Amino acid sequence: MGTQQQTKAFHNLIGREWMPSSSGETFTVINPADTRIELGVCQQSNEADVEAAVEAAKQSLPGWSAEAAPIRGQYIAKAASLIEERTDEFIKQLIIEVGKSYADAKAEVIRTVRVMRFLAGEAERLKGETIPSWDKEVIGYTKREPVGVVGLITPWNVPLAIAAWKIATALTCGCTVVFKPSSQTPLVSLQLVKAYQEVNLPAGVLNFVTGPGSTVGNAIATHPDIKAISFTGSNKIGLAINQLVARRGARFQAEMGGKNPFVVLNDADLTLAVEHVIAGGFGESGQRCTATSRVIVLPGIAEEFITLLKERVGRMKVGNPLDEGTDMGPVIDKGSMESILSYIEIGKKENGQLVTGGSRLTEGDYAHGYFIAPTVFRGITPEMTIAQEEIFGPVISVMEANDFEQALEWANQVEYGLSSTIYTNDMEKAMRFVNGIEAGFTHVNMPSTYSEPHFPFGGIKATGIGGMREVGSTAIDFYTEYKTVYMKPHNQP
């Protein structure tokens, strides 16, 4: 997998200048597949850096918000085309920085381009309403205006696409941005920011500040001039930020954890269901909020399904994600690896039956990376820890319900409500599932991870805060305010 590479330093973007942090401190980004490889040195920013970024965003806000909305959209569309032209560069960066397989990295780049193009188009659809008045001489209508300077805090697991859709929506709506990426994966986010620079986005409209959430994230959350914050990440951090933002009455949107169920009924195509469980549970090493975590099967097909699943997992190739034949790469870092392994041990102690996997891979090429064997448990019941808590790794729990009603009950028996899926040819049961599942979006005979950029994305229950969805036409609601206008001509003499 290679050896030590020369390490390059990267700076914050504030206004039109690339500059080091005022703290003088830095941190190093590591390749999770081979921790001997340092990918870059980034800035350990502090409150003063956030202050400077906010000031730059404030200065650019009047001009950017006054720009014709379709013109704003053109910057996004041009940046999307630039990313598409450099697909291979972005794929490689996702692979070496996040540990994604080639297929997963390519899918994220494609998703990024599509979502940016869709949101660029929303700049031509920032429409209000013309509403009849009780007074026949009054013309009444509504118009959308940007909420102001916004803070965007993005996660490490989907660092390109999520950053892309938050930034694109904010820019479309006329907001200016202070953007903090995850410290585990800031470099691919930096490539996104540079794409906007190359299409001549006005200085100060998009500002980029790296550093720890406890410092940079908190400074964004508490800054009085940041009018709205969009966050994607863990429940613990999201709830903490929500408290900080609520104290000053700013707007907050959060997409957080998931514990997504995958229900398989007796009439399902088991071969297809197994393939989609693999894709949903082990794609991106299970490090997705939409990942398949719980597979709920019925007695009639349980044994056959588990046998097929074990056999299919046995054919997976875990290894160097730069190899296009690799199905699953490493997890993101040592802390995540240790957390996942601890959940596996909890599953064993709670009498879960380990079907396959269950350990760290350490031999040969695995020796210097954070690799975990794809893991399957069976005999899991709803009260068990691994059936309730988000593991965020390559661990699937198979649960054996008595009937459809119990399967639906178990599917809902968690605090989260993001994604879900059911496999069946019985459309009556499929619709009962669609109507009864407690989730922000759901699927029939499709993987739990499937989504498209022109549909709303988000969850309910403990998954989401703010009640406003990302992506889709409704994404603009979070970044805009409505202004109501009443117009009446002067009476003529």
Side-chain angles (χ1 to χ4, degrees):
M1 289 191 184
T3 56
Q4 184 70 38
Q5 298 176 343
Q6 186 176 359
T7 306
K8 182 179 179 181
F10 299 92
H11 291 163
N12 294 331
L13 177 63
I14 297 177
R16 65 178 67 255
E17 302 295 333
W18 292 101
M19 58 183 64
S21 170
S22 57
S23 72
E25 299 179 359
T26 60
F27 64 93
T28 302
V29 182
I30 300 295
N31 183 333
D34 189 336
T35 58
R36 297 170 297 177
I37 300 175
E38 296 181 351
L39 302 176
V41 172
C42 291
Q43 304 305 305
Q44 193 89 337
S45 304
N46 59 19
E47 292 86 350
D49 300 306
V50 173
E51 181 65 40
V54 173
E55 185 59 32
K58 283 175 59 181
Q59 293 297 321
S60 65
L61 180 63
W64 181 247
S65 61
E67 183 61 86
I71 299 299
R72 297 196 298 259
Q74 286 184 353
Y75 286 100
I76 301 165
K78 289 176 182 177
S81 294
L82 195 61
I83 293 169
E84 186 174 47
E85 291 171 9
R86 299 174 181 172
T87 292
D88 290 343
E89 294 176 26
F90 280 89
I91 288 173
K92 182 178 179 181
Q93 190 62 41
L94 284 166
I95 290 171
I96 64 175
E97 193 172 2
V98 192
K100 292 176 184 279
S101 69
Y102 180 89
D104 287 335
K106 183 178 180 180
E108 182 167 348
V109 177
I110 292 171
R111 184 182 188 188
T112 296
V113 172
R114 287 177 179 173
V115 76
M116 290 176 69
R117 285 181 171 151
F118 173 78
L119 291 166
E122 283 300 288
E124 299 177 358
R125 298 185 287 269
L126 289 175
K127 57 184 182 294
E129 295 179 290
T130 301
I131 304 170
S133 168
W134 283 92
D135 187 329
K136 64 182 181 180
E137 296 184 355
V138 168
I139 299 171
Y141 66 93
T142 62
K143 64 190 295 283
R144 289 183 183 267
E145 295 184 347
V147 70
V149 177
V150 300
L152 307 180
I153 302 174
T154 58
W156 52 261
N157 63 319
V158 189
L160 181 61
I162 291 179
W165 76 52
K166 289 181 189 291
I167 291 169
T169 315
L171 298 185
T172 284
C173 293
C175 300
T176 55
V177 173
V178 177
F179 168 38
K180 187 203 108 57
S182 166
S183 293
Q184 283 109 321
T185 56
L187 302 181
V188 72
S189 301
L190 180 61
Q191 285 184 318
L192 171 64
V193 171
K194 286 184 174 180
Y196 275 108
Q197 267 212 318
E198 289 191 47
V199 299
N200 298 315
L201 185 73
V205 172
L206 175 57
N207 303 275
F208 175 82
V209 183
T210 59
S214 58
T215 303
V216 177
N218 284 4
I220 290 172
T222 56
H223 200 292
D225 291 323
I226 293 182
K227 303 304 181 183
I229 296 168
S230 182
F231 167 85
T232 301
S234 72
N235 282 68
K236 180 181 178 181
I237 295 174
L239 292 173
I241 294 175
N242 186 43
Q243 291 181 344
L244 294 174
V245 174
R247 290 173 190 167
R248 61 184 184 87
R251 188 176 292 188
F252 185 58
Q253 172 190 58
E255 288 299 331
M256 302 180 292
K259 194 68 179 172
N260 310 295
F262 189 116
V263 174
V264 186
L265 300 189
N266 288 333
D267 67 333
D269 180 332
L270 297 189
T271 300
L272 181 64
V274 164
E275 287 299 322
H276 288 176
V277 166
I278 294 288
F282 299 135
E284 302 188 29
S285 302
Q287 299 172 125
R288 288 186 284 196
C289 56
T290 57
T292 297
S293 178
R294 300 172 295 143
V295 180
I296 306 172
V297 299
L298 299 191
I301 49 93
E303 292 302 328
E304 182 182 359
F305 178 86
I306 292 168
T307 298
L308 288 172
L309 181 60
K310 181 180 179 181
E311 188 275 332
R312 180 63 181 84
V313 172
R315 290 189 280 113
M316 289 182 64
K317 181 179 179 182
V318 181
N320 182 357
L322 285 170
D323 180 350
E324 293 188 24
T326 294
D327 297 308
M328 194 180 91
V331 298
I332 187 64
D333 60 20
K334 182 179 180 181
S336 293
M337 179 186 69
E338 291 176 345
S339 174
I340 295 163
L341 292 173
S342 72
Y343 272 112
I344 291 172
E345 291 307 309
I346 289 171
K348 294 175 183 177
K349 290 177 182 177
E350 292 184 340
N351 296 319
Q353 302 168 41
L354 188 63
V355 175
T356 188
S359 62
R360 180 182 181 183
L361 302 175
T362 58
E363 299 298 322
D365 284 346
Y366 302 128
H368 299 285
Y370 304 119
F371 293 93
I372 295 176
T375 298
V376 176
F377 280 96
R378 70 175 300 182
I380 303 302
T381 54
E383 72 281 357
M384 291 184 182
T385 302
I386 63 171
Q388 289 294 319
E389 298 183 12
E390 185 178 38
I391 299 173
F392 220 66
V395 181
I396 292 172
S397 297
V398 180
M399 309 169 70
E400 298 165 48
N402 292 326
D403 50 33
F404 169 79
E405 286 72 20
Q406 187 174 61
L408 178 58
E409 177 187 349
W410 285 4
N412 287 331
Q413 203 169 327
V414 291
E415 63 175 323
Y416 302 105
L418 182 55
S419 182
S420 60
T421 191
I422 186 170
Y423 270 68
T424 181
N425 287 313
D426 186 333
M427 288 298 103
E428 186 270 332
K429 284 191 171 65
M431 291 309 301
R432 285 171 61 190
F433 182 84
V434 166
N435 293 328
I437 193 66
E438 296 168 0
F441 58 105
T442 191
H443 310 80
V444 177
N445 299 327
M446 299 177 70
S448 65
T449 51
Y450 185 87
S451 65
E452 295 187 26
H454 49 297
F455 289 83
F457 180 95
I460 61 174
K461 299 165 75 171
T463 293
I465 296 175
M468 296 185 186
R469 294 290 186 260
E470 298 194 82
V471 202
S473 61
T474 60
I476 62 176
D477 292 340
F478 180 74
Y479 297 92
T480 57
E481 301 275 13
Y482 271 111
K483 178 177 284 184
T484 300
V485 180
Y486 299 99
M487 299 179 66
K488 186 173 184 179
H490 286 296
N491 291 329
Q492 299 299 315

